[in-house]
Amino acid sequence: DTAVSQTPKYLVTQMGNDKSIKCEQNLGHDTMYWYKQDSKKFLKIMFSYNNKELIINETVPNRFSPKSPDKAHLNLHINSLELGDSAVYFCASSRAGLDTQYFGPGTRLTVL
Amino acid sequence: AQSVTQLDSQVPVFEEAPVELRCNYSSSVSVYLFWYVQYPNQGLQLLLKYLSGSTLVKGINGFEAEFNKSQTSFHLRKPSVHISDTAEYFCAVSDKPGANNLFFGTGTRLTVIP
């Protein structure tokens, strides 16, 4: 069974649209994350949720909104998509503390 | 905020040769260091981590790294690489235990040549 899964794997959309990416983990972890990897492979954290509470928000535009319906899910909703949002988005999860983060396979978002 | 520098964006190496991927971090009172690997079209996977204790850390797939506080480095090494080691390697640092905020370097593309 996949530990951290994301859907969809690929997402192609027009500027101005609203889209969501879903993430689920079956590891029983308390903390989940969203990362953005740009075209130069630079990976930057966007959000972190610990037991459904937001604990990190690294200056991400408010068009991005994470939603955690329960401890096993952390979805990413993006409003009014822009060209610069094109990237690969990774979900990850871990136990609390400096534990290993387990990454999902990524969602490649292309904004036209 | 913490930061890491990976000096080499690309490292080509012949199969069965040794390799070292360099990582330097910005100085802090406490620092926690990680190496992750990303195989093509996949997510990241932890290779090894340094939290405390022995400065030589052994990880999966025959990789190891040495924490050097005086040189603020955490270089990754493998004595003999395989074709399957071809991937992107990321060094990451955190200075806040419990907050899990990792700061990643820009990555080093390791290409193993047959």
Side-chain angles (χ1 to χ4, degrees), chain A residues 33 35 45 48 56 58 98 101, chain B residues 2 93-103:
Chain A
Y33 314 80
Y35 287 87
I45 190 165
S48 173
I56 298 176
E58 294 290 327
L98 276 168
Q101 292 188 23
Chain B
Q2 288 291 314
V93 65
S94 174
D95 62 354
K96 299 180 182 178
N100 281 319
N101 53 333
L102 289 179
F103 294 91

Side-chain angles (χ1 to χ4, degrees), chain A residues 33 37 41 90 97 100-101 104, chain B residues 32 36 38 43-44 46 90 100:
Chain A
Y33 314 80
Q37 187 176 47
K41 297 279 189 177
F90 287 100
T100 302
Q101 292 188 23
Chain B
Y32 310 92
Y36 279 82
Q38 184 179 24
L44 279 72
L46 182 72
F90 292 92
N100 281 319

Side-chain angles (χ1 to χ4, degrees), chain B residues 95-114:
Chain B
D95 62 354
K96 299 180 182 178
N100 281 319
N101 53 333
L102 289 179
F103 294 91
F104 283 86
T106 49
T108 297
R109 172 72 178 173
L110 173 64
T111 301
V112 180
I113 305 164

Side-chain angles (χ1 to χ4, degrees), chain B residues 37-40 84-89 108-111:
Chain B
V37 60
Q38 184 179 24
Y39 297 106
S84 59
D85 292 324
T86 294
E88 195 85 24
Y89 291 79
T108 297
R109 172 72 178 173
L110 173 64
T111 301

